[in-house]
Amino acid sequence: SISLVPFVFPSILVVLSFVILLGNNGWANSFLRNFLNADAPIQFLYGLSGIVIAHTFYNFPIVMRFVSDAWDGVDNSAKEAGRTLGARKFDVFFKITLPELLPAIFASALLVFIYCFTSFTIVLSLGSLNFSTLEVEIFSQLSRRLDFGAAAVLAILQFALLCVPVLLYTHLSKK
């Protein structure tokens, strides 16, 4: 239950928490500067690494939930038969358990992709001007350039691109 806590946090609160903890003047950065006796802050929050850290925080519970539920449903008789026939634990995992977990792994990966693909607040706040998603670009077209046509085209493109992973996710979640 605790692993699902990130889902109830608004994304701007998560960004603010990461800035307080890992930002240039954050607690972890202050500790590392004192520990390493460095003059400048260590840059790991702003840019691609910060986006990955925040998305990992948000999406880890999805993967954990899907895979752990699938792992609970793995047929133990096949694993026991493999061990009885002399298979090592390594072989039992890679030849019996992992193939049964693959649909859950792929389904969770697709859901994570969808969440990351539609990310707005995290990319806008932690990414520099070099990083953008379609969500951020749609916002940019509307707010900075007032180009409603380009924003509409990007929105339709995003919808079309998301149809494929959503259909795949629906198919895999049934398994």
Side-chain angles (χ1 to χ4, degrees):
S1 296
I2 291 174
S3 70
L4 296 176
V5 168
F7 271 133
V8 298
F9 288 137
S11 51
I12 194 66
L13 182 63
V14 170
V15 168
L16 182 61
S17 300
F18 276 115
V19 169
I20 290 170
L21 183 66
L22 303 172
N24 290 341
N25 295 317
W27 298 342
N29 218 329
S30 296
F31 171 78
L32 287 173
R33 271 191 303 191
N34 291 336
F35 184 73
L36 299 173
N37 201 18
D39 294 332
I42 300 167
Q43 296 290 331
F44 54 87
L45 183 62
Y46 305 105
L48 183 61
S49 59
I51 294 169
V52 170
I53 290 168
H55 280 154
T56 301
F57 173 77
Y58 259 120
N59 295 311
F60 174 75
I62 296 171
V63 176
M64 190 180 85
R65 184 70 177 231
F66 272 70
V67 175
S68 65
D69 286 348
W71 207 313
D72 287 341
V74 170
D75 183 22
N76 286 332
S77 62
K79 294 192 305 187
E80 290 171 9
R83 286 191 200 120
T84 303
L85 293 172
R88 297 175 299 162
K89 288 183 180 182
F90 182 82
D91 293 328
V92 168
F93 176 77
F94 280 101
K95 292 184 179 176
I96 297 171
T97 307
L98 186 61
E100 289 190 37
L101 295 178
L102 282 178
I105 292 170
F106 288 139
S108 64
L110 283 169
L111 197 55
V112 166
F113 171 78
I114 291 168
Y115 283 139
C116 292
F117 188 75
T118 59
S119 180
F120 176 72
T121 308
I122 290 171
V123 175
L124 188 64
S125 302
L126 296 179
S128 62
L129 296 175
N130 299 330
F131 299 97
S132 183
T133 59
L134 282 174
E135 297 275 328
V136 173
E137 192 56 34
I138 291 168
F139 173 75
S140 175
Q141 291 296 327
L142 286 174
S143 65
R144 295 184 187 148
R145 297 185 185 100
L146 295 175
D147 190 349
F148 292 94
V153 168
L154 289 173
I156 292 169
L157 176 66
Q158 181 180 22
F159 177 77
L161 290 174
L162 283 174
C163 283
V164 173
V166 167
L167 291 172
L168 282 171
Y169 167 75
T170 305
H171 175 71
L172 287 174
S173 66
K174 291 178 183 177
K175 291 186 175 190

